[in-house]
Amino acid sequence: MIRVANGQGFWGDWVEAPFRLLRNGPIDYLTLDYLAEVTMAVLQKQRMKRPGAGYAHDFPPLVQSLAAELMERGVALVANAGGLNPGGCAREVKRLAPNLKVVAVSGDDILDKLDEFQAQGCSLTNMDTGQQLSEVRDKVLSANVYVGAFPIAAALANGAQVVVTGRCADAALAMGPAIYSLGWGLNDVRRLAAGVAAGHIIECGAQATGGNYGGRWQDIAGMDEIGYPIAEIEPDGQFVITKHKGTGGRVTAHGVKEQLLYEVGDPRAYMTPDCIADFTSLRVEDCGADRVRITGARGRERPEQLKVSINYAAGWKATGTIVYSAPHALEKARAADEIVRRRLARVGLAFEEIHTEYLGVSACHGANAPAMAEVAEVQLRIGVRGQERGAVERFTQEMIPLVLSGPPGATGYGEGRPRVREVVANWNALLPRELVKPFVEVIE
Amino acid sequence: MKMPLSRLAHARSGDKGDSANIAVIAWDAAAYQFLAENLTARFVADYFASQIKGPVERYEAPNLMAVNFVLRGALGGGGTVSLRIDAQGKTLAAELMGMEVECELDVPAERP
């Protein structure tokens, strides 16, 4: 049995979690998940400004802080913090933690090969909309293939104490250690499907241990010191989700089911580079305090095509807010929205979208929000998006004047003019897997 | 008897591009049977009509006593494109759990 923990559900998750997982009890592998869909685009912008960048810059210093305890406890660290530059990230880790064996997994970045692949007949058509890539080709910022867990296992077989990857399937971070330690092969579809389930359940950190729980969250104690999830994986693929004793939060079958289906489409066919897992085959049952056993995993062989995540520049946007108080808070906010829209129309600005929300009234739940006779205050939130930066810039000048020239009692404008931000859109496509060659690099 | 869905199930929602998913997990077998029979894609699509542009897909996972819904065109473009405060659909689960349904099951007032 191996214990695989996850101490980071996204880049920016609780900074204490990795340290606590090392100190609060035994684990064999510590995984950290840094990459969301848009993260790659953020990293590409950083790489354009500074060629050596393109990875989670705070990861190497984190490894430096963790190094002594990783070695003392014999825990290997697996993280996709490499982003667009796993080699560069791994070298910086090695520089700051020279006593650790560091291995990079690269080969997922296909930005430089897009035209070559298209010339070879790979359309890279948008899976969701059917659009041709040529429509946005000149705006592409990044293009990465989701690679699987076997390169991570290869890195561990090379003796890695730290594995730094680029874009890989989130579940691969936990599957790599299982494949390596438990001797799973490419054709062990049931075991791989179990590994997908285990990796998927722990990839979002404390969402498996009581965080963001949809039931009686009030009964979950100790969220301030919530334990992050650990998968105890057996050689045959069955596993237990748990957390360290004495930590906060809660692990129950109901909570684990929520996470198992989180961001999932068809539960019978959860696609990963290593197998297509069937989550409807799983038995999920409580088996002790803060322990949930998962058995019965089935799946189908790995797909012939891998998913590509392309990010492209898609214009500009800005969002401005102002607060109105009672009496008539909502009426005031509606009047202010009308004023802004008329002023924008009068100067002839066109946007792809102008979107207004009333926070405190209906912003999250729209028409299903509970009706209220009178609200104490409401935050007006107006967002615009368009292709011309200048038009969006002009919008940012229209919010604060409302304080003096609109309905009475406007406040909450302390942050000044809204910031104009570049819009990065995501484009998913498929690519034959033989075109992708992940490789490992031992950093000396 | 009218009751909110939260008496029968709990849920979590998340995003994938411009789609949101809401996993609805029944509290017990009787509640799951009710949901499997009554909580249709059409029902969910009508409930979210003012917020989503695309169709609703529905998947059953009897082993988890769960029904999963995928709401297309639900997030104003999704990712960094969306202008919404809830661009990732985090609050859609709670919204669906507030839906009132007609149900004759005798269910506890409080759930874990």
Side-chain angles (χ1 to χ4, degrees), chain A residues 5 19 31 34 72 146 151 164 173-174 232 289 301 313 350 423 442 444:
Chain A
F19 295 92
T31 65
Y34 279 80
E72 186 189 319
Y146 284 83
V164 181
L173 297 176
E232 299 176 352
E301 278 179 16
V423 175
V442 179
E444 302 298 341

Side-chain angles (χ1 to χ4, degrees), chain A residues 235-290:
Chain A
D236 67 0
Q238 66 171 291
F239 63 95
V240 169
I241 297 295
T242 187
K243 65 185 185 70
H244 282 139
K245 286 200 169 57
T247 60
R250 193 175 71 185
V251 181
T252 63
H254 275 286
V256 166
K257 286 178 187 179
E258 272 191 21
Q259 185 53 28
L260 185 62
L261 293 175
Y262 182 65
E263 295 181 351
V264 165
D266 182 354
R268 286 166 303 186
Y270 185 76
M271 304 284 286
T272 81
D274 300 308
C275 81
I276 303 169
D278 179 0
F279 289 168
T280 67
S281 65
L282 300 170
R283 280 190 303 280
V284 179
E285 51 203 354
D286 292 299
C287 68
D290 293 316

Side-chain angles (χ1 to χ4, degrees), chain A residues 264-265, chain B residues 19-22 55-59 68-72:
Chain A
V264 165
Chain B
S19 299
N21 91 300
I22 309 175
V56 171
E57 296 161 15
R58 178 184 188 275
Y59 304 96
N68 188 39
F69 295 93
V70 177
L71 285 55
R72 302 283 177 195

Side-chain angles (χ1 to χ4, degrees), chain A residues 183-233:
Chain A
W184 296 352
L186 279 174
N187 298 319
D188 291 334
V189 173
R190 288 187 178 207
R191 293 184 178 91
L192 293 173
V196 169
H200 178 67
I201 290 167
I202 68 171
E203 81 188 28
C204 288
Q207 277 203 153
T209 53
N212 193 24
Y213 177 56
R216 282 276 305 169
W217 59 269
Q218 299 92 330
D219 297 340
I220 296 177
M223 283 200 201
D224 59 301
E225 48 178 5
I226 197 163
Y228 272 54
I230 301 164
E232 299 176 352
I233 309 174

Side-chain angles (χ1 to χ4, degrees), chain A residues 207 211-212 216 254 258-259 261-265 279-280 282 317 357 364-365 368 381 385 424, chain B residues 10 12-13 15-16 21 27 47 51 59 63-64 68 80-83 85 90-91 95 110-112:
Chain A
Q207 277 203 153
N212 193 24
R216 282 276 305 169
H254 275 286
E258 272 191 21
Q259 185 53 28
L261 293 175
Y262 182 65
E263 295 181 351
V264 165
F279 289 168
T280 67
L282 300 170
K317 72 172 184 179
E357 292 178 330
C364 291
H365 292 177
N368 294 318
R381 185 175 186 272
R385 187 182 65 243
V424 176
Chain B
H10 58 108
R12 175 171 295 175
S13 52
D15 69 316
K16 199 141 258 178
N21 91 300
W27 288 117
Y47 185 72
Q51 285 162 282
Y59 304 96
N63 59 319
L64 306 173
N68 188 39
T80 75
V81 177
S82 178
L83 296 172
I85 188 83
K90 300 282 187 190
T91 70
E95 182 175 347
E110 288 286 339
R111 296 289 198 173

Side-chain angles (χ1 to χ4, degrees), chain A residues 37-365:
Chain A
E37 280 176 352
V38 298
T39 313
M40 301 305 269
V42 174
L43 292 170
Q44 172 60 12
K45 285 188 195 171
Q46 293 174 3
R47 188 168 68 172
M48 285 177 349
K49 284 183 197 147
R50 202 166 61 81
Y55 57 82
H57 57 80
D58 49 1
F59 175 71
L62 173 68
V63 181
Q64 184 179 30
S65 309
L66 293 169
E69 286 170 87
L70 287 171
M71 284 196 285
E72 186 189 319
R73 292 170 166 81
V75 174
L77 180 63
V78 183
N80 55 12
L84 292 163
N85 186 2
C89 181
R91 280 186 284 281
E92 181 64 5
V93 169
K94 184 71 181 173
R95 191 180 72 80
L96 294 178
N99 295 330
L100 289 171
K101 183 154 184 179
V102 183
V103 179
V105 174
S106 307
D108 59 296
D109 188 346
I110 58 161
L111 182 60
D112 295 337
K113 294 181 185 156
L114 280 184
D115 297 324
E116 184 189 319
F117 289 158
Q118 286 207 282
Q120 288 171 23
C122 304
S123 68
L124 296 168
T125 303
N126 189 314
M127 282 164 66
D128 306 306
T129 66
Q131 286 171 281
Q132 297 301 309
L133 187 63
S134 54
E135 289 179 36
V136 300
R137 177 65 189 92
D138 56 338
K139 297 174 191 158
V140 169
L141 294 168
S142 67
N144 294 77
V145 179
Y146 284 83
V147 299
F150 282 87
I152 293 171
L156 292 167
N158 267 295
Q161 291 164 297
V162 180
V163 181
V164 181
T165 80
R167 179 79 271 181
C168 63
D170 294 335
L173 297 176
M175 290 172 74
I179 289 166
Y180 163 67
S181 293
L182 305 174
W184 296 352
L186 279 174
N187 298 319
D188 291 334
V189 173
R190 288 187 178 207
R191 293 184 178 91
L192 293 173
V196 169
H200 178 67
I201 290 167
I202 68 171
E203 81 188 28
C204 288
Q207 277 203 153
T209 53
N212 193 24
Y213 177 56
R216 282 276 305 169
W217 59 269
Q218 299 92 330
D219 297 340
I220 296 177
M223 283 200 201
D224 59 301
E225 48 178 5
I226 197 163
Y228 272 54
I230 301 164
E232 299 176 352
I233 309 174
E234 303 287 346
D236 67 0
Q238 66 171 291
F239 63 95
V240 169
I241 297 295
T242 187
K243 65 185 185 70
H244 282 139
K245 286 200 169 57
T247 60
R250 193 175 71 185
V251 181
T252 63
H254 275 286
V256 166
K257 286 178 187 179
E258 272 191 21
Q259 185 53 28
L260 185 62
L261 293 175
Y262 182 65
E263 295 181 351
V264 165
D266 182 354
R268 286 166 303 186
Y270 185 76
M271 304 284 286
T272 81
D274 300 308
C275 81
I276 303 169
D278 179 0
F279 289 168
T280 67
S281 65
L282 300 170
R283 280 190 303 280
V284 179
E285 51 203 354
D286 292 299
C287 68
D290 293 316
R291 293 180 67 79
V292 172
R293 184 181 303 282
I294 292 94
T295 54
R298 284 198 307 268
R300 278 175 282 145
E301 278 179 16
R302 65 186 203 172
E304 284 309 304
Q305 306 214 77
L306 296 178
K307 186 166 140 184
V308 181
S309 176
I310 294 170
N311 285 299
Y312 63 97
W316 303 89
K317 72 172 184 179
T319 307
T321 61
I322 284 193
V323 172
Y324 290 93
S325 77
H328 313 302
L330 182 56
E331 282 175 70
K332 291 171 185 169
R334 287 201 167 120
D337 176 56
E338 190 63 30
I339 292 166
V340 170
R341 285 173 182 260
R342 282 178 191 229
R343 286 178 177 173
L344 290 174
R346 206 167 281 129
V347 282
L349 295 180
F351 298 99
E352 289 168 356
E353 188 181 1
I354 304 178
H355 181 69
T356 303
E357 292 178 330
Y358 301 97
L359 275 69
V361 178
S362 56
C364 291
H365 292 177

